[in-house]
Amino acid sequence: MLIPVSWLKEYVEIRLPLKDLMWKMTEAGLTCESAKKAGEEVIMDVEVTANRPDWMSILGVAREIAAIQGNKIKEPRIKALPAQTANFPIDLVPDYRLFERWTGIVLKGVEIKPSPDWLKARITSMGHTPINNIIDITNYVMYELGIPMHAFDYDEIYGQVMNLQLSGGGEKFTSVDGIDYLLPKNAMIIKDSERIIDLAGIKGGFNSGIKETAKNIFLHVTIDNPVYVRRTSLAMGLRSEGGRTRAVRLEA
Amino acid sequence: MQEELISLRNEAIAQISAAGDGAELEEVRAAYLGRNGKFTILVKKIKDVPEESRKTFGITLNESKIAIENLISDKKQALIKSLSEKRDWFDLTMPGLKPTLGHIHPLTQVLSEVNKIFNYLGYQVADGPEIESDYYNFEALNIPKDHPSRDTQMTFYVDSTGTDLKPLETILRTQTSAMQGRVMKLGKPPFRVLVPGKCFRYEQVDASHGFEFWQVEGFVVDEDIHLTDLFGTIKYVLGELFGKETKIRFATTNFPFVEPGVDTYMQCTICKGKGCSFCKGTGWSEIMPAGMIHPNVLKTAGIDTKKWNGFAFAIGLSRIVNLRYQIKDLRTLTTPDMRILSQF
């Protein structure tokens, strides 16, 4: 996992010289064997082990470094949500075996455009490609705080209902990357009133993905059952960043 | 075409008879049956033969080839016989042809050294199957199905179609730790066991990884075992293998069958700590993952964890060879070339 040091410094004050810090992190179990210079930036490459999914974010790594150094992290400052201004209903039909917790919010009147340069630079330093402001923001927050989230085009959620269920096997699904798949049995999927719009935990659907025309979005945070995510991922040979994050239990 | 074939055959027969020694005979053979030999070229011309006569042409061609080959081998025997009859004196006191001696593979050499070191510490060697069950390789080591740490050891599964084996239960072992469960069921603690063996992982083959590799795994189960006993054992063993001044350091790591898990780093012998491609520029090389045996593993083997505990460790045998002989590419050890082996 790539950790740009300038981003890390927003959450923890770094007191040790880089080489010493890298060894101390390795000693604690967060193996860091290489750090590359990219212009002004230094990017550390850390190896997250299966027993420490809490390291899968900038904040998580910052916490570990604070523990190593004996100082405190700078808590993320989250402003209060604006008051609800309109009625955009959405019906979530849960299954607690599949999503232990499911929270979401509808945001109306968004304008899809390319992200500002600073965000594009951060996305690139994560090793990802910038796409548009909404998708980049969800990836950015996921990477920064370790919270798995996904954005849907609200108007593409037919019937304003999201049914969480398991696939029977053989269903056709086109991922947000435009690739067609035939789903295996027991994959976690979200269906609106007509079609499958999400391969939960792994890839969003092309139909509900955020394109330039999206006006309203539904943003959700899910705590997925990691066993289903991992099994589906292996059955399809499809490994995604989101899938990797969710295949281990994240502390919520 | 047929006449051409027959005259060619007669010509060849005459040439063979006229050959004076082995070298001349070889020239004749090459001229007729070699890559650009007259018969070989004729075979290529078979498409120019009209349809009806192609079959007979083919038969005659094959017969001629066989006849010529037999004639050549007969002539060869005749030449050898006459040669030995020509010699009138032979020194019987001359030493005979020296038989070529074999060389012990560096992996075998290091393995016997490792065995000796641990023998001195009171360990016994156990040997186990390379084709293992998923149960011993993973589940008995506290790695249930669907556990993400299985991703770090890409497994080869044996195709069970046509057998009465349960599918996906028979694998090629990914670690010799699989023997822990087997050995602990054979007797009662205390144990001091060493398990050398070949392991298999589905990995991209490069300079420091292969799909089959040698591990030496070991474990101790006794009363009142401490982490310091583990560190002391590691320090002693690495000192014996690489010299007492060898610098080592430890880091935390994660394996489901040990708690705590440690990794031993040794100063890279290839670059003496300065940084090179083998140690990824850090100057240190991971050499001995280890840890205190997880209580679940002991419980699964039926051992009372209130009385007994222990530690386990593994050494990459191939890695020791690389570090000791400063071989930068792991594939050298599995390349069947006598020029490599004859250096050991």
Side-chain angles (χ1 to χ4, degrees):
Chain A
M1 189 167 159
L2 300 172
I3 307 283
V5 174
S6 65
W7 198 346
L8 196 55
K9 284 191 180 155
E10 287 178 16
Y11 288 99
V12 68
E13 186 203 326
I14 298 191
R15 293 180 180 167
L16 295 169
L18 185 66
K19 269 237 173 305
D20 295 343
L21 180 63
M22 284 166 65
W23 170 246
K24 281 277 167 210
M25 286 162 68
T26 306
E27 204 176 41
L30 179 58
T31 310
C32 181
E33 301 209 292
S34 67
K36 287 198 179 65
K37 254 184 152 31
E40 294 277 306
E41 180 72 83
V42 175
I43 301 182
M44 296 198 285
D45 197 350
V46 300
E47 204 184 298
V48 175
T49 50
N51 66 326
R52 294 297 301 268
D54 62 292
W55 284 336
M56 270 181 161
S57 60
I58 302 285
L59 184 59
V61 174
R63 262 199 290 257
E64 191 66 39
I65 292 177
I68 290 170
Q69 294 177 151
N71 58 343
K72 283 202 193 294
I73 53 163
K74 303 171 203 172
E75 295 282 347
R77 283 165 299 130
I78 299 168
K79 299 194 201 121
L81 281 174
Q84 185 166 336
T85 57
N87 206 16
F88 276 75
I90 189 126
D91 191 11
L92 304 181
V93 181
D95 182 335
Y96 297 103
R97 298 172 305 162
L98 307 181
F99 284 174
E100 238 177 67
R101 197 170 78 186
W102 194 0
T103 51
I105 192 167
V106 177
L107 299 170
K108 73 166 176 96
V110 295
E111 194 190 328
I112 309 297
K113 44 185 189 185
S115 299
D117 286 337
W118 70 264
L119 182 54
K120 277 199 205 160
R122 279 266 160 101
I123 298 284
T124 315
S125 71
M126 278 157 51
H128 291 286
T129 319
I131 303 173
N132 60 43
N133 49 359
I134 299 299
I135 294 180
D136 292 347
I137 288 174
T138 50
N139 285 337
Y140 180 82
V141 174
M142 221 170 11
Y143 206 80
E144 184 174 56
L145 302 179
I147 301 172
M149 57 172 64
H150 187 71
F152 296 85
D153 185 336
Y154 176 76
D155 302 303
E156 287 291 334
I157 304 174
Y158 292 173
Q160 288 84 52
V161 63
M162 293 173 90
N163 292 293
L164 176 62
Q165 50 193 224
L166 289 174
S167 64
E171 296 97 324
K172 273 212 212 95
F173 174 74
T174 309
S175 75
V176 71
D177 310 307
I179 305 174
D180 289 328
Y181 296 96
L182 275 176
L183 296 179
K185 199 167 174 260
N186 289 337
M188 295 200 293
I189 52 171
I190 296 179
K191 261 176 124 165
D192 62 18
S193 60
E194 280 175 42
R195 64 251 166 97
I196 300 177
I197 55 171
D198 188 41
L199 181 58
I202 303 178
K203 283 270 177 192
F206 185 79
N207 42 21
S208 62
I210 306 290
K211 307 174 198 66
E212 288 102 57
T213 48
K215 295 269 181 321
N216 308 299
I217 62 169
F218 173 66
L219 190 63
H220 78 170
V221 173
T222 56
I223 305 300
D224 307 56
N225 183 322
V227 176
Y228 281 110
V229 174
R230 187 168 179 275
R231 276 194 202 157
T232 307
S233 194
L234 287 176
M236 292 174 70
L238 188 56
R239 305 225 147 198
S240 66
E241 181 76 28
R244 252 190 67 247
T245 314
R246 292 170 176 88
V248 288
R249 247 204 203 296
L250 277 169
E251 42 109 49
Chain B
M1 277 301 238
Q2 196 80 345
E3 308 83 56
E4 203 181 314
L5 176 60
I6 294 178
S7 72
L8 192 65
R9 187 168 91 179
N10 295 333
E11 187 188 302
I13 293 172
Q15 291 266 15
I16 292 171
S17 311
D21 60 29
E24 269 178 49
L25 187 62
E26 181 54 30
E27 274 178 36
V28 174
R29 194 204 66 80
Y32 287 94
L33 296 175
R35 212 180 279 178
N36 294 317
K38 294 186 184 150
F39 269 101
T40 322
I41 293 176
L42 210 58
V43 170
K44 291 185 188 142
K45 282 205 194 144
I46 211 173
K47 49 182 171 1
D48 298 334
V49 178
E51 270 265 18
E52 323 84 60
S53 15
R54 217 175 269 180
K55 194 170 176 203
T56 31
F57 182 77
I59 293 174
T60 320
L61 185 61
N62 274 331
E63 278 178 3
S64 313
K65 267 185 86 180
I66 292 172
I68 302 282
E69 280 168 8
N70 288 340
L71 215 62
I72 289 181
S73 79
D74 287 344
K75 182 73 179 173
K76 204 173 184 184
Q77 292 299 326
L79 282 174
I80 292 175
K81 194 156 182 278
S82 68
L83 194 66
S84 60
E85 282 163 4
K86 262 196 223 145
R87 255 196 305 215
D88 36 24
W89 184 79
F90 179 67
D91 181 358
L92 290 163
T93 64
M94 251 172 65
L97 290 167
K98 197 172 164 186
T100 43
L101 283 175
H103 296 264
I104 300 182
H105 195 281
L107 279 173
T108 317
Q109 286 180 29
V110 174
L111 180 59
S112 52
E113 208 179 310
V114 168
N115 278 354
K116 241 202 316 237
I117 295 172
F118 279 98
N119 214 340
Y120 180 76
L121 292 173
Y123 287 64
Q124 285 180 304
V125 174
D127 218 347
E130 289 179 0
I131 299 177
E132 237 329 337
S133 69
D134 186 280
Y135 174 75
Y136 281 114
N137 197 91
F138 290 116
E139 289 186 52
L141 292 174
N142 202 30
I143 309 175
K145 297 229 198 297
D146 298 319
H147 196 277
S149 78
R150 288 195 182 214
D151 295 345
T152 57
Q153 301 186 22
M154 304 299 274
T155 317
F156 282 108
Y157 291 91
V158 173
D159 186 0
S160 57
T161 47
T163 67
D164 49 359
L165 295 168
K166 264 184 83 181
L168 299 180
E169 289 293 327
T170 314
I171 64 173
L172 262 51
R173 68 178 171 193
T174 61
Q175 47 191 352
T176 43
S177 320
M179 279 298 283
Q180 275 186 30
R182 285 184 184 269
V183 171
M184 289 199 277
K185 282 215 170 108
L186 287 176
K188 288 197 174 323
F191 296 114
R192 282 191 201 199
V193 183
L194 194 72
V195 188
K198 207 153 119 177
C199 306
F200 308 87
R201 291 188 200 176
Y202 179 51
E203 301 226 359
Q204 281 287 79
V205 178
D206 63 27
S208 45
H209 298 96
F211 63 82
E212 56 178 5
F213 57 99
W214 279 84
Q215 260 190 349
V216 178
E217 209 262 358
F219 65 95
V220 165
V221 177
D222 210 329
E223 295 178 74
D224 202 28
I225 297 287
H226 298 265
L227 188 61
T228 44
D229 296 321
L230 174 60
F231 284 171
T233 307
I234 294 178
K235 193 163 190 337
Y236 173 73
V237 170
L238 291 179
E240 290 292 298
L241 283 171
F242 293 98
K244 294 217 174 0
E245 339 72 48
T246 309
K247 288 205 186 72
I248 61 171
R249 59 186 192 181
F250 297 103
T252 317
T253 193
N254 172 246
F255 302 107
F257 39 92
V258 286
E259 190 61 57
V262 299
D263 212 346
T264 318
Y265 286 84
M266 195 176 81
Q267 205 170 55
C268 180
T269 58
I270 296 175
C271 59
K272 305 270 185 297
K274 292 199 196 65
C276 65
S277 62
F278 190 80
C279 61
K280 291 183 230 152
T282 57
W284 296 83
S285 185
E286 291 162 50
I287 182 144
M288 238 171 124
M292 304 302 287
I293 302 181
H294 196 292
N296 286 0
V297 176
L298 294 176
K299 280 188 204 149
T300 311
I303 293 177
D304 180 6
T305 52
K306 283 201 276 290
K307 183 166 182 220
W308 307 97
N309 64 351
F311 62 74
F313 54 84
I315 317 179
L317 209 62
S318 327
R319 190 154 283 209
I320 300 181
V321 175
N322 273 28
L323 286 169
R324 170 178 289 186
Y325 297 111
Q326 281 142 42
I327 300 172
K328 295 202 196 87
D329 192 332
L330 204 73
R331 291 167 287 194
T332 322
L333 293 177
T334 45
T335 310
D337 192 331
M338 277 311 292
R339 290 173 296 179
I340 299 172
L341 206 54
S342 51
Q343 296 176 61
F344 289 98

